[in-house]
mmCIF file of all heavy atoms in Angstrom:
data_model
loop_
_atom_site.group_PDB
_atom_site.id
_atom_site.type_symbol
_atom_site.label_atom_id
_atom_site.label_comp_id
_atom_site.label_asym_id
_atom_site.label_seq_id
_atom_site.Cartn_x
_atom_site.Cartn_y
_atom_site.Cartn_z
ATOM 1 N N VAL A 1019 -3.898 20.471 -2.452
ATOM 2 C CA VAL A 1019 -2.993 20.631 -3.592
ATOM 3 C C VAL A 1019 -2.207 21.932 -3.483
ATOM 4 O O VAL A 1019 -2.715 22.949 -3.002
ATOM 5 C CB VAL A 1019 -3.753 20.587 -4.936
ATOM 6 C CG1 VAL A 1019 -4.384 19.232 -5.176
ATOM 7 C CG2 VAL A 1019 -4.815 21.681 -5.010
ATOM 8 N N VAL A 1020 -0.973 21.865 -3.961
ATOM 9 C CA VAL A 1020 -0.097 23.029 -4.067
ATOM 10 C C VAL A 1020 0.143 23.283 -5.545
ATOM 11 O O VAL A 1020 0.479 22.365 -6.294
ATOM 12 C CB VAL A 1020 1.240 22.791 -3.339
ATOM 13 C CG1 VAL A 1020 2.227 23.923 -3.633
ATOM 14 C CG2 VAL A 1020 1.011 22.661 -1.839
ATOM 15 N N GLY A 1021 -0.035 24.513 -5.981
ATOM 16 C CA GLY A 1021 0.146 24.845 -7.391
ATOM 17 C C GLY A 1021 1.545 25.345 -7.685
ATOM 18 O O GLY A 1021 2.100 26.158 -6.941
ATOM 19 N N VAL A 1022 2.129 24.843 -8.764
ATOM 20 C CA VAL A 1022 3.419 25.320 -9.252
ATOM 21 C C VAL A 1022 3.130 26.279 -10.401
ATOM 22 O O VAL A 1022 2.581 25.875 -11.426
ATOM 23 C CB VAL A 1022 4.296 24.141 -9.731
ATOM 24 C CG1 VAL A 1022 5.533 24.648 -10.460
ATOM 25 C CG2 VAL A 1022 4.698 23.271 -8.550
ATOM 26 N N THR A 1023 3.451 27.541 -10.217
ATOM 27 C CA THR A 1023 3.065 28.558 -11.190
ATOM 28 C C THR A 1023 4.286 29.210 -11.824
ATOM 29 O O THR A 1023 5.047 29.901 -11.158
ATOM 30 C CB THR A 1023 2.188 29.632 -10.528
ATOM 31 O OG1 THR A 1023 2.854 30.145 -9.368
ATOM 32 C CG2 THR A 1023 0.854 29.035 -10.104
ATOM 33 N N ASP A 1024 4.455 28.957 -13.088
ATOM 34 C CA ASP A 1024 5.517 29.578 -13.878
ATOM 35 C C ASP A 1024 5.036 30.947 -14.355
ATOM 36 O O ASP A 1024 3.851 31.120 -14.658
ATOM 37 C CB ASP A 1024 5.833 28.667 -15.072
ATOM 38 C CG ASP A 1024 7.018 29.150 -15.866
ATOM 39 O OD1 ASP A 1024 6.839 30.060 -16.711
ATOM 40 O OD2 ASP A 1024 8.123 28.615 -15.672
ATOM 41 N N PRO A 1025 5.927 31.955 -14.446
ATOM 42 C CA PRO A 1025 5.502 33.276 -14.919
ATOM 43 C C PRO A 1025 4.851 33.252 -16.301
ATOM 44 O O PRO A 1025 4.022 34.120 -16.615
ATOM 45 C CB PRO A 1025 6.817 34.075 -14.945
ATOM 46 C CG PRO A 1025 7.683 33.414 -13.935
ATOM 47 C CD PRO A 1025 7.338 31.953 -14.013
ATOM 48 N N ALA A 1026 5.206 32.271 -17.125
ATOM 49 C CA ALA A 1026 4.642 32.197 -18.472
ATOM 50 C C ALA A 1026 3.305 31.469 -18.516
ATOM 51 O O ALA A 1026 2.689 31.358 -19.571
ATOM 52 C CB ALA A 1026 5.632 31.503 -19.413
ATOM 53 N N LEU A 1027 2.859 30.980 -17.374
ATOM 54 C CA LEU A 1027 1.639 30.186 -17.322
ATOM 55 C C LEU A 1027 0.458 31.048 -16.887
ATOM 56 O O LEU A 1027 0.533 31.764 -15.897
ATOM 57 C CB LEU A 1027 1.821 29.029 -16.340
ATOM 58 C CG LEU A 1027 0.666 28.039 -16.197
ATOM 59 C CD1 LEU A 1027 0.498 27.237 -17.473
ATOM 60 C CD2 LEU A 1027 0.926 27.095 -15.021
ATOM 61 N N THR A 1028 -0.624 30.971 -17.646
ATOM 62 C CA THR A 1028 -1.855 31.665 -17.290
ATOM 63 C C THR A 1028 -2.882 30.630 -16.851
ATOM 64 O O THR A 1028 -3.226 29.727 -17.612
ATOM 65 C CB THR A 1028 -2.411 32.468 -18.478
ATOM 66 O OG1 THR A 1028 -1.419 33.401 -18.924
ATOM 67 C CG2 THR A 1028 -3.662 33.225 -18.077
ATOM 68 N N VAL A 1029 -3.351 30.751 -15.626
ATOM 69 C CA VAL A 1029 -4.268 29.768 -15.046
ATOM 70 C C VAL A 1029 -5.543 30.463 -14.612
ATOM 71 O O VAL A 1029 -5.490 31.525 -13.981
ATOM 72 C CB VAL A 1029 -3.627 29.076 -13.824
ATOM 73 C CG1 VAL A 1029 -4.583 28.055 -13.225
ATOM 74 C CG2 VAL A 1029 -2.317 28.415 -14.209
ATOM 75 N N PRO A 1030 -6.712 29.907 -14.936
ATOM 76 C CA PRO A 1030 -7.972 30.506 -14.469
ATOM 77 C C PRO A 1030 -8.013 30.588 -12.947
ATOM 78 O O PRO A 1030 -7.507 29.710 -12.241
ATOM 79 C CB PRO A 1030 -9.039 29.532 -14.993
ATOM 80 C CG PRO A 1030 -8.398 28.830 -16.145
ATOM 81 C CD PRO A 1030 -6.939 28.729 -15.790
ATOM 82 N N ASP A 1031 -8.636 31.629 -12.443
ATOM 83 C CA ASP A 1031 -8.673 31.854 -11.001
ATOM 84 C C ASP A 1031 -9.304 30.691 -10.247
ATOM 85 O O ASP A 1031 -8.912 30.391 -9.111
ATOM 86 C CB ASP A 1031 -9.439 33.141 -10.690
ATOM 87 C CG ASP A 1031 -8.666 34.386 -11.076
ATOM 88 O OD1 ASP A 1031 -7.438 34.287 -11.263
ATOM 89 O OD2 ASP A 1031 -9.287 35.463 -11.188
ATOM 90 N N TYR A 1032 -10.299 30.025 -10.857
ATOM 91 C CA TYR A 1032 -10.987 28.982 -10.100
ATOM 92 C C TYR A 1032 -10.090 27.776 -9.840
ATOM 93 O O TYR A 1032 -10.292 27.057 -8.851
ATOM 94 C CB TYR A 1032 -12.287 28.561 -10.789
ATOM 95 C CG TYR A 1032 -12.173 27.643 -11.974
ATOM 96 C CD1 TYR A 1032 -12.213 26.264 -11.807
ATOM 97 C CD2 TYR A 1032 -12.064 28.141 -13.263
ATOM 98 C CE1 TYR A 1032 -12.137 25.411 -12.896
ATOM 99 C CE2 TYR A 1032 -12.003 27.303 -14.354
ATOM 100 C CZ TYR A 1032 -12.045 25.938 -14.165
ATOM 101 O OH TYR A 1032 -11.973 25.102 -15.257
#
Side-chain angles (χ1 to χ4, degrees):
V1019 295
V1020 171
V1022 170
T1023 53
D1024 186 278
L1027 183 68
T1028 302
V1029 180
D1031 288 342
Y1032 78 91

